[in-house]
Amino acid sequence: MSLQANAAKKIFAVFQKNISKSERKLLMSSHMFAKILIPTFIRRKIDISIERLNGFDYVVMKHKKHNTNNKVMYIHGGAFIFEISALHFMQISEIINKTYATFYVPIYPLTNDKYSSQMDTINFLTNLYKVMCDESDKKTKITIMGDSAGGNFALILAQLAKKNKLRIADNVILVSPFLTYEYDKKYDKIAGNDPVLPPLLLNTAKAWQLQDNNPKNPLFSPIFGDSKGVGKIFIFCAENEIFIHLIRHYCNQLLKQKIWYYLDVAKGLFHDYPIFTTTKEAKIVINKVSDIIKNKKPS
């Protein structure tokens, strides 16, 4: 682990701070939430617009001077209870600068102890995916990408696109994806190595989001869904993250079903490390993701 990555691990708690419901309501109603989180230096090169669909906002980001036909839906992580962060927007901007792709970034509803946002989010993402596909042509390369909880939604969306006979994504990029609500005792053995997603936060988020639903329902746990024919699946994760055993289990499932996949496991690192874009490890992933979006083999 580089010194930069180690420093990022120590300061992660700063970025876990959640804004209050009243602040969120004010920001969302004024369509200013995402713009507030996007640093000024990003806005100098990236064209940003905030649109509304089904009562929720989404951000469209593209390079001001250069554009390609590639489009990406990026679904942010945050244990289902945290808003998208400046770290996510910094990562997205770096990928845009390398690919000139257009990004669609949904600001989806968050869960709490009395409300599971899972189905509302899935419906919103499905409708936004339709919008993105309608704004594409046959030559457009479509990518669905998500980190952590966003990886959960990304794989579900890819599976639903196939099931509902929507356009199939060319690529499905999952970064430290949350694949199932079923408890795995192996969490306990590795929990101490992952400072980004401690068991208490994970278990709270799971309880709030799952509520009384079946943990094996593919609309909650995509590991139980049909991944055949959903697009090329690329997974980036870390050796010390809490989901590593489940990610490997999912990859074994894909192997048995003869479904192609790409797995990149970073040694000594932690959950969702690629969002810390100043680290050399994150830059490696950003370069690989950019290659995938451009329809190249990851370097």
Side-chain angles (χ1 to χ4, degrees):
M1 185 187 304
S2 70
L3 291 175
Q4 292 170 319
N6 191 47
K9 180 176 72 174
K10 291 180 179 178
I11 67 172
F12 183 77
V14 174
F15 298 98
Q16 284 192 347
K17 183 179 179 182
N18 200 8
I19 62 175
S20 68
K21 291 182 181 180
S22 60
E23 287 174 321
R24 184 182 303 121
K25 184 176 181 181
L26 174 64
L27 292 170
M28 291 297 284
S29 63
S30 63
H31 283 215
M32 289 300 293
F33 174 73
K35 282 192 175 181
I36 288 172
L37 284 178
I38 301 175
T40 303
F41 71 87
I42 290 178
R43 296 182 223 168
R44 294 193 187 108
K45 290 186 177 181
I46 306 299
D47 188 24
I48 299 163
S49 65
I50 300 180
E51 310 294 339
R52 202 158 179 83
L53 180 69
N54 302 142
F56 302 111
D57 289 343
Y58 66 96
V59 185
V60 180
M61 302 176 66
K62 56 186 177 182
H63 200 276
K64 286 186 176 181
K65 294 184 178 179
H66 308 285
N67 290 116
T68 65
N69 221 8
N70 300 324
K71 294 190 176 179
V72 182
M73 181 182 289
Y74 186 96
I75 309 169
H76 74 86
F80 306 105
I81 59 179
F82 294 112
E83 293 285 9
I84 190 170
S85 71
L87 293 174
H88 290 102
F89 284 118
M90 289 169 66
Q91 181 189 51
I92 291 168
S93 69
E94 290 212 17
I95 298 172
I96 290 174
N97 286 331
K98 291 179 179 295
T99 64
Y100 303 142
T102 299
F103 272 67
Y104 293 68
V105 186
I107 310 298
Y108 58 82
L110 302 179
T111 194
N112 56 52
D113 59 338
K114 296 180 180 178
Y115 164 67
S116 169
S117 66
Q118 189 81 7
M119 298 312 299
D120 286 340
T121 297
I122 289 172
N123 290 334
F124 171 44
L125 296 178
T126 301
N127 289 328
L128 179 55
Y129 184 71
K130 292 176 182 177
V131 170
M132 185 173 73
C133 291
D134 287 343
E135 294 177 355
S136 304
D137 57 36
K138 292 181 179 180
K139 295 182 179 179
T140 302
K141 297 297 181 182
I142 298 287
T143 299
I144 301 173
M145 179 176 178
D147 68 285
S148 193
N152 173 279
F153 288 130
L155 184 54
I156 291 171
L157 177 60
Q159 292 172 348
L160 285 176
K162 178 198 172 187
K163 181 178 180 181
N164 296 331
K165 298 182 180 180
L166 303 178
R167 180 169 177 171
I168 302 298
D170 294 278
N171 309 301
V172 181
I173 303 175
L174 310 175
V175 180
S176 294
F178 174 57
L179 297 172
T180 178
Y181 282 83
E182 281 227 308
Y183 182 76
D184 189 331
K185 290 183 179 179
K186 291 179 180 178
Y187 284 157
D188 298 331
K189 295 180 180 180
I190 201 168
N193 295 325
D194 192 343
V196 173
L197 190 58
L200 178 60
L201 173 60
L202 173 62
N203 291 332
T204 299
K206 286 171 62 179
W208 287 1
Q209 190 75 332
L210 185 61
Q211 305 265 341
D212 296 326
N213 292 283
N214 184 348
K216 291 188 177 182
N217 183 343
L219 293 178
F220 285 82
S221 299
I223 198 170
F224 297 107
D226 182 7
S227 293
K228 191 171 185 179
V230 302
K232 295 178 183 177
I233 300 172
F234 300 84
I235 304 174
F236 296 88
C237 62
E239 182 182 43
N240 289 335
E241 73 165 274
I242 200 167
F243 296 146
I244 185 62
H245 298 295
L246 290 172
I247 291 170
R248 291 191 185 280
H249 176 65
Y250 175 61
C251 290
N252 286 334
Q253 284 186 347
L254 297 178
L255 186 63
K256 290 178 181 178
Q257 296 174 54
K258 297 182 180 180
I259 299 173
W260 186 92
Y261 71 91
Y262 173 93
L263 176 64
D264 187 304
V265 181
K267 292 184 178 181
L269 288 171
F270 45 86
H271 179 74
D272 218 1
Y273 73 92
I275 66 170
F276 297 99
T277 55
T278 58
T279 68
K280 70 176 185 180
E281 294 91 346
K283 291 183 183 300
I284 291 172
V285 173
I286 287 170
N287 286 334
K288 290 182 177 181
V289 166
S290 298
D291 285 341
I292 294 165
I293 291 170
K294 292 186 292 185
N295 206 32
K296 297 180 180 179
K297 291 182 178 180
S299 55

